[in-house]
Amino acid sequence: MKRKSAVNRVLLALAGIVLLGVGLMILAGGFDLYRRGSLTPPDGWPLTTPDDILLADADRTRWTDEGWWWPVAIAVLAIVTLLAVWWLLAQLRRTHPGALSVGGAHAVDGVELSEGALGDVLAADTRHLPGVHQARARMDGSSSHPEAHIAITLTPDAEPGPVMQALRDGPLERARRSTGRTLPAKAHLRLTPHKPHRAE
């Protein structure tokens, strides 16, 4: 999930930078800002005056008489369009469970628990376990198959085995009973930073 969000941010940032740069270049040439501001654009820089065009007729029609031009152009456009549609559908697809009904098979109509509230409760319950210094939890997956991701910071003297057993038998079991779902979980453990003890 984090990797997908990072890739989305990078792609959106790159697309935004390219579009912003092209737009500023077109505006600078269209409003004749280079001449008005006594600026000298680099050699070969396109669109430096309002009369400039990006592609001349000769450039636009250079390959149109070749037999391979139109199949290649149509194939490239089709691939770009399919990739854009696939990316858009991937963004629209729900990747979080949303609201979960409370009680499972015995759920009362209209009684739901948001994914954020469930994650907060699960984290707060985990913090009360012996050997746990700090805990954070978030929910992923779909509404029918939610998953819990729990990040636990252990105290310096804690043992991972007992903490994991207490997590499974305590907070996770209570969350499973409350939601009526199997609620698979992934836990990430780390130790609280501390200074090493010196032996006298």
Side-chain angles (χ1 to χ4, degrees), residues 94 96-100 140-147 179-184:
R94 178 177 286 277
H96 294 281
L100 301 172
D140 282 336
S142 63
S143 58
S144 57
H145 297 91
E147 299 178 359
T179 60
R181 292 170 172 81
T182 56
L183 198 61

Side-chain angles (χ1 to χ4, degrees), residues 45-167:
W45 194 258
L47 304 175
T48 57
T49 66
D51 298 328
D52 282 350
I53 57 174
L54 186 59
L55 290 174
D57 289 341
D59 294 328
R60 288 188 289 105
T61 59
R62 178 181 302 175
W63 308 110
T64 54
D65 292 335
E66 301 291 336
W68 56 267
W69 167 251
W70 290 111
V72 170
I74 292 173
V76 169
L77 289 175
I79 291 173
V80 171
T81 302
L82 289 175
L83 288 175
V85 170
W86 169 80
W87 183 79
L88 178 62
L89 292 177
Q91 307 316 304
L92 296 177
R93 187 173 51 211
R94 178 177 286 277
T95 57
H96 294 281
L100 301 172
S101 59
V102 177
H106 306 288
V108 179
D109 289 341
V111 179
E112 293 181 333
L113 184 64
S114 71
E115 62 178 84
L118 180 58
D120 292 343
V121 170
L122 188 56
D125 200 3
T126 303
R127 291 187 196 103
H128 290 92
L129 296 177
V132 174
H133 174 70
Q134 186 59 264
R136 292 180 290 108
R138 62 181 174 84
M139 306 302 298
D140 282 336
S142 63
S143 58
S144 57
H145 297 91
E147 299 178 359
H149 292 258
I150 309 169
I152 300 175
T153 302
L154 302 175
T155 57
D157 57 344
E159 296 183 10
V163 171
M164 293 300 294
Q165 184 69 35
L167 174 66

Side-chain angles (χ1 to χ4, degrees), residues 25 28-29 32-49 52:
M25 184 177 65
D32 203 14
L33 297 181
Y34 297 107
R35 184 183 60 81
R36 293 180 182 181
S38 299
L39 301 174
T40 303
D43 292 337
W45 194 258
L47 304 175
T48 57
T49 66
D52 282 350

